[in-house]
Amino acid sequence: MVVTEQPLVSIIMPAHNSERYIKQAIESVKKQIYSNWELLIVDDCSTDETPAIISEYSMDPRIKPIYLQENIGIAGARNKAIEQSKGKYIAFLDSDDTWMNNKLDYQVKYMIRTGCVFTYTYYRVINENNQVVRLINHVPQELTYSDLLKSNSIGLLTAVIESEILKTTRMPNIPHEDYAAWLNILHKGYTAKLVTSILANYRIQSNSRSSNKIKSMFWTWRIYRKNQHKNILLSVYYLTCYIFWGVRKHT
């Protein structure tokens, strides 16, 4: 089957004091083989050169800046862009990560061909100098709500979702907001499916929110208890699975 349709993809990029890497992130979008996209960059009240860089790139009409007058946090910034998005699909790319140039082309064609509404892919972990640290390719072929409770196998920068689903779900204003959003989506009965290719680069920085594993486990526990409303015994079970699969995913 030959797929010729190119539905609009809305790419969500929050940015706060991102001058060091945001050019690389934007350039990786501009180099996409798939051309029918809009990039909504939300400047979350940056105090460095980020707004100027965004303004420079907005000469491309597909790049649509949103400048916030006060800092509302990463979940709020993403939701602001989701509200203004116009695409059939929504994808996510943070301002320090990058995509392979065939990312959207490969993934959207798969979604059109199969009718899948939520996909994710393998990805590489890179450091501050763009060196590859490891591959994330030990993830399930598909994920239901029950599966995802045991491990967050969906890298935010790899996810592509039909916009109608996200516009009725949004991201809660809590740490690990993407994981909570994926759980809320799959809880409605959707299944997320893996596109088996390495299509993105996730950057680890020394000051990143996810660099502290103890905090990360605490945030996950709060999602089980406060966001997904699981009892203590189930939360202990799912957190144990989460830790086990997290170790396996990164080895």
Side-chain angles (χ1 to χ4, degrees):
M1 176 180 176
V2 177
V3 179
T4 57
E5 179 188 2
Q6 272 206 354
L8 180 66
V9 178
S10 298
I11 304 160
I12 308 301
M13 181 184 291
H16 177 70
N17 292 345
S18 304
E19 63 181 5
R20 183 175 179 183
Y21 296 113
I22 192 170
K23 288 185 178 181
Q24 293 181 44
I26 296 172
E27 287 292 342
S28 78
V29 174
K30 287 176 65 69
K31 292 176 181 177
Q32 289 299 298
I33 296 170
Y34 191 98
S35 60
N36 192 21
W37 51 262
E38 61 173 2
L39 174 59
L40 295 93
I41 309 178
V42 185
D43 177 64
D44 196 12
C45 203
S46 295
T47 56
D48 63 359
E49 292 301 310
T50 300
I53 295 170
I54 296 172
S55 178
E56 175 186 341
Y57 276 99
S58 66
M59 298 297 291
D60 185 327
R62 298 174 297 177
I63 298 177
K64 302 173 181 180
I66 302 170
Y67 298 103
L68 303 181
Q69 298 305 307
E70 60 179 354
N71 184 278
I72 63 173
I74 196 164
R78 289 194 185 117
N79 288 333
K80 183 73 68 174
I82 290 170
E83 289 172 10
Q84 298 187 28
S85 65
K86 298 178 180 178
K88 177 178 180 180
Y89 299 108
I90 291 178
F92 297 90
L93 182 64
D94 283 352
S95 56
D96 54 353
D97 299 331
T98 59
W99 284 345
M100 310 305 189
N101 64 3
N102 63 335
K103 200 265 188 189
L104 290 181
D105 185 69
Y106 196 87
Q107 203 164 351
V108 173
K109 283 181 178 177
Y110 172 87
M111 295 177 75
I112 295 171
R113 184 173 67 251
T114 63
C116 184
V117 299
F118 188 166
T119 61
Y120 56 101
T121 77
Y122 300 142
Y123 60 97
R124 302 188 304 183
V125 178
I126 61 174
N127 63 20
E128 294 171 323
N129 299 313
N130 295 314
Q131 297 169 321
V132 177
V133 176
R134 60 181 174 271
L135 298 179
I136 303 299
N137 58 359
H138 294 148
V139 294
Q141 293 289 312
E142 65 177 37
L143 290 163
T144 63
Y145 175 70
S146 178
D147 298 327
L148 194 65
L149 282 166
K150 300 172 185 175
S151 173
N152 183 14
S153 299
I154 302 173
L156 173 73
L157 74 166
T158 76
V160 177
I161 308 170
E162 281 199 358
S163 61
E164 289 184 6
I165 297 172
L166 267 173
K167 285 180 179 287
T168 58
T169 305
R170 306 297 175 85
M171 291 197 171
N173 189 25
I174 56 175
H176 280 348
E177 67 288 332
D178 54 330
Y179 182 41
W182 308 156
L183 286 168
N184 291 336
I185 289 170
L186 297 191
H187 191 257
K188 297 178 180 180
Y190 297 106
T191 298
K193 295 193 176 182
L194 174 70
V195 177
T196 54
S197 188
I198 299 170
L199 297 175
N201 297 304
Y202 173 75
R203 191 184 307 277
I204 288 184
Q205 298 187 60
S206 57
N207 62 345
S208 68
R209 293 192 309 159
S210 58
S211 61
N212 189 312
K213 300 305 180 184
I214 301 298
K215 283 185 179 179
S216 180
M217 285 189 289
F218 175 72
W219 294 338
T220 304
W221 173 263
R222 284 182 61 90
I223 287 174
Y224 294 146
R225 297 287 288 138
K226 303 296 185 181
N227 186 266
Q228 299 301 305
H229 309 292
K230 304 301 180 187
N231 62 39
I232 290 178
L233 286 178
L234 277 176
S235 297
V236 169
Y237 168 70
Y238 287 129
L239 186 62
T240 302
C241 293
Y242 189 96
I243 294 169
F244 172 80
W245 287 108
V247 171
R248 186 175 186 273
K249 182 174 72 173
H250 290 92
T251 54

